[in-house]
């Protein structure tokens, strides 16, 4: 959360003016009509005693991302001056209450990260237990979460295998621990495009979707599983779930978060997953394994790529767009069943003075014709699509996609893989290029169909 406030000119013709904000609200209000009267209560979710047979859909706090009460003070002090006499009970305190706020804020817990985490996890667990006991049996509970995973190491003693030392997010860990400990099992995942992708957000690695976890009470007779059983089930079920997510054109920036759903669906179906020493596997370890298997699935998709592209992927993972030794490039080419000279002919690399370097997008020709390319590669196709999108806009990229046919879809799959590599390496600018291509894909595909239809009509008229 960036502690800054936008100040715009209310009389300007664009950019946050009163008129534009009122226009957005006026468009939304007609969609909110309902035949039912709403009822709103302000209560502590962790201590609420609710009647049974409710349908719950909740968006819990995002761990330590936002100090909601602190943020509210900025507005509260002015509202209090205006409305204290009108609503005395709402504005009884000088600032907003903060002690019971369910976030992991260390400064409220003796500046201890551990104490803040325990407070958050305990409160969230109580809230989910109340939801579990009061939920209607015929309807699932849905939990929205848009918390981006971060690179953290699994703590010593929390993992029984170095394989699990992958991405693990404390925010996701605590939320899922509370959900699982309250007796829920994840039965589905619905990624929903809830975020408005403005021109500013297109240049940021910001999440575009909220991940909705669909939950039902876990079966009372749920079986135990070994670590091996859990990993085998993941490797069996995650590939199809991942293909469904990609076919739905989920943004690469959201893919790792979305994969948590089907992964935790496997983990939470068991009463517990037992480690080799008899202890129960933690949610943190499970998240690390899910991300490990996600990497494996993405790597397996490389089998659909041509040898030149597989070489470029391996080289990119080690060197990025920088130069590397010719000898290493040649050795790698033998393993990938290609050759550096062929990669040069294909327009994938430049080789000179004992050095090899991938051709940058700024070096690509604007008049590239895939039909005349004697050695067409998925790598080259992906880079040209991004180059066209960046230099000619969606119409130019769509015109190129229309000529590529089925290879275009394979290029989109490569973009997912390349985004994952860039995120691991912290190559933000390069990651944005691949994320941007996938985000634009639905519009590109629509324009490409129109382009092909137009070309077909023109050919019919010729005859």
């Amino acid at each position: 959360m960036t502690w800054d406030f936008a100040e715009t000119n209310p009389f300007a013709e664009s950019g946050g003016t009163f008129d534009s904000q009122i226009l957005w609200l006026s468009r939304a209000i007609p969609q909110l009509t309902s035949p039912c009267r709403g009822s709103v209560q302000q209560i502590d979710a962790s201590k609420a005693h609710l009647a049974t047979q409710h349908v719950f859909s909740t968006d819990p706090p995002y761990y330590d991302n936002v100090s909601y009460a602190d943020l509210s003070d900025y507005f509260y002090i002015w509202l209090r001056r205006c409305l204290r006499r009108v609503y005395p009970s709402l504005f009884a305190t000088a600032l907003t209450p903060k002690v019971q706020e369910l976030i992991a804020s260390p400064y409220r817990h003796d500046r201890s990260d551990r104490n803040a985490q325990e407070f958050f996890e305990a409160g969230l667990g109580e809230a989910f237990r109340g939801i579990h006991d009061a939920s209607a049996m015929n309807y699932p509970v849905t939990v929205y979460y848009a918390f981006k995973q971060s690179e953290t190491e699994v703590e010593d003693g929390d993992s029984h295998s170095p394989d699990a030392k992958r991405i693990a997010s404390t925010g996701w860990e605590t939320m899922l621990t509370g959900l699982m400990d309250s007796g829920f099992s994840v039965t589905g995942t619905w990624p929903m495009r809830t975020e408005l992708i403005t021109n500013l957000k297109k240049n940021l690695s910001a999440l575009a979707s909220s991940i909705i976890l669909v939950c039902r009470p876990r079966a009372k007779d749920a079986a135990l599983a070994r670590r091996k059983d859990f990993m085998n089930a993941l490797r069996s079920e995650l590939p199809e779930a991942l293909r469904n997510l990609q076919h739905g054109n989920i943004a690469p920036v959201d893919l790792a978060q979305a994969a948590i759903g089907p992964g935790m669906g496997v983990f939470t179906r068991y009463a517990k997953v037992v480690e080799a020493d008899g202890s129960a596997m933690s949610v943190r370890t499970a998240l690390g394994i899910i991300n490990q298997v996600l990497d494996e699935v993405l790597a397996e998709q490389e089998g659909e790529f041509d040898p030149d592209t597989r070489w470029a992927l391996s080289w990119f993972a080690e060197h990025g767009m920088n130069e590397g030794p010719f000898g290493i490039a040649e050795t790698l080419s033998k393993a990938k069943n290609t050759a550096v000279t062929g990669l040069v002919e294909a327009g994938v690399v430049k080789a000179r003075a004992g050095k090899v370097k991938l051709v940058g997008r700024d070096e690509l020709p604007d008049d590239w014709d895939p039909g005349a390319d004697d050695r067409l590669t998925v790598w080259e196709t992906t880079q040209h699509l991004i180059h066209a999108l960046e230099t000619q806009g969606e119409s130019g990229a769509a015109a190129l996609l229309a000529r590529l046919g089925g290879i275009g879809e394979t290029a989109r799959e490569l973009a997912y893989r390349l985004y994952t590599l860039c995120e691991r390496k912290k190559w933000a600018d390069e990651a944005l290029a691949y994320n941007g291509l996938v985000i634009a894909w639905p519009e590109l595909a629509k324009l490409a169909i129109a382009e092909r239809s137009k070309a077909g009509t023109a050919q019919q008229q010729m005859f």
Side-chain angles (χ1 to χ4, degrees), residues 105-172:
S105 183
Y107 89 88
R108 298 179 191 170
H109 301 276
D110 301 324
R111 301 194 177 279
S112 167
D113 291 338
R114 172 62 66 182
N115 291 346
Q117 179 178 345
E118 290 176 352
F119 169 80
F120 180 81
E121 192 168 321
L124 204 60
E126 286 294 327
F128 280 134
R129 274 187 286 275
I131 290 173
H132 178 276
D133 295 341
S135 61
M137 296 300 294
N138 295 332
Y139 296 92
V141 171
T142 51
V143 181
Y144 286 68
Y145 220 54
F147 190 96
K148 188 176 181 182
Q149 293 190 78
S150 57
E151 295 278 1
T152 56
E153 288 291 323
V154 176
E155 295 178 10
D156 291 337
D158 205 23
S159 169
H160 296 257
S161 167
D163 291 340
K165 293 194 175 182
R166 298 276 176 166
I167 293 178
S169 165
T170 304
W172 273 100

Side-chain angles (χ1 to χ4, degrees), residues 433-445:
Y434 303 116
N435 192 60
L437 177 63
V438 176
I439 288 176
W441 198 265
E443 184 63 21
L444 298 183

Side-chain angles (χ1 to χ4, degrees), residues 269-319:
R269 78 172 57 141
Y270 304 114
K272 65 178 177 180
V273 177
V274 182
E275 297 281 12
D277 62 1
S279 63
M281 179 182 289
S282 69
V283 170
R284 171 167 285 247
T285 300
L287 285 172
I289 292 173
I290 290 167
N291 281 286
Q292 173 196 340
V293 175
L294 173 62
D295 281 349
E296 292 174 5
V297 174
L298 289 172
E300 286 173 4
Q301 291 182 347
E302 293 179 17
E304 300 178 15
F305 304 146
D306 55 85
D308 291 350
T309 297
R310 292 200 298 273
W311 180 94
L313 259 174
S314 298
W315 183 266
F316 181 77
E318 290 298 321
H319 302 278

Side-chain angles (χ1 to χ4, degrees), residues 4 11 38 55 70-71 117 120 153 157 164 176 202 219 259 279 282-283 325 404 453:
D4 197 4
F11 306 108
V55 177
D70 291 331
L71 181 61
Q117 179 178 345
F120 180 81
E153 288 291 323
L176 290 167
K202 285 179 181 178
S279 63
S282 69
V283 170
L404 287 167
S453 176

Side-chain angles (χ1 to χ4, degrees), residues 3 66-74 96-98 101 103 108:
W3 289 96
V66 183
S67 297
Y68 301 94
D70 291 331
L71 181 61
S72 297
D73 280 339
Y74 179 83
T96 57
K98 298 178 178 63
E101 184 181 19
I103 61 170
R108 298 179 191 170

Side-chain angles (χ1 to χ4, degrees), residues 67-235:
S67 297
Y68 301 94
D70 291 331
L71 181 61
S72 297
D73 280 339
Y74 179 83
F75 309 95
Y76 178 87
I77 57 174
W78 300 107
L79 290 170
R80 187 171 186 267
R81 292 187 67 170
C82 301
L83 300 173
R84 186 179 181 185
R85 293 182 181 179
V86 181
Y87 300 108
S89 61
L90 287 178
F91 296 99
T93 56
L95 295 173
T96 57
K98 298 178 178 63
V99 174
Q100 293 175 284
E101 184 181 19
L102 196 54
I103 61 170
S105 183
Y107 89 88
R108 298 179 191 170
H109 301 276
D110 301 324
R111 301 194 177 279
S112 167
D113 291 338
R114 172 62 66 182
N115 291 346
Q117 179 178 345
E118 290 176 352
F119 169 80
F120 180 81
E121 192 168 321
L124 204 60
E126 286 294 327
F128 280 134
R129 274 187 286 275
I131 290 173
H132 178 276
D133 295 341
S135 61
M137 296 300 294
N138 295 332
Y139 296 92
V141 171
T142 51
V143 181
Y144 286 68
Y145 220 54
F147 190 96
K148 188 176 181 182
Q149 293 190 78
S150 57
E151 295 278 1
T152 56
E153 288 291 323
V154 176
E155 295 178 10
D156 291 337
D158 205 23
S159 169
H160 296 257
S161 167
D163 291 340
K165 293 194 175 182
R166 298 276 176 166
I167 293 178
S169 165
T170 304
W172 273 100
E173 175 198 357
T174 50
M175 191 276 288
L176 290 167
T177 298
L179 196 65
M180 189 174 178
D181 288 350
S182 65
F184 278 113
S185 175
V186 178
T187 60
T189 307
W190 300 337
M192 288 188 68
R193 186 61 56 83
T194 57
E195 310 304 309
L196 177 65
I197 304 300
T198 60
N199 287 331
L200 173 62
K201 278 194 174 183
K202 285 179 181 178
N203 296 320
L204 299 173
S205 187
L207 294 180
S209 307
S210 291
I211 309 306
I212 303 178
L213 301 178
V214 186
C215 308
R216 292 185 182 272
R218 187 167 51 252
K220 293 182 179 179
D221 59 350
L224 300 178
R226 301 168 299 170
R227 168 187 278 258
K228 181 180 179 181
D229 299 327
F230 171 52
M231 294 191 70
N232 287 342
L234 271 180
R235 289 180 173 130

Side-chain angles (χ1 to χ4, degrees), residues 224-279:
L224 300 178
R226 301 168 299 170
R227 168 187 278 258
K228 181 180 179 181
D229 299 327
F230 171 52
M231 294 191 70
N232 287 342
L234 271 180
R235 289 180 173 130
S236 173
E237 299 177 30
L238 200 57
E240 183 178 358
L242 184 61
R243 280 193 295 271
N244 290 335
L245 290 169
Q246 290 176 326
H247 289 161
N249 209 67
I250 189 167
V253 69
D254 295 325
L255 188 62
Q257 329 307 317
I260 289 175
M264 288 306 297
V266 174
F267 183 68
T268 58
R269 78 172 57 141
Y270 304 114
K272 65 178 177 180
V273 177
V274 182
E275 297 281 12
D277 62 1
S279 63

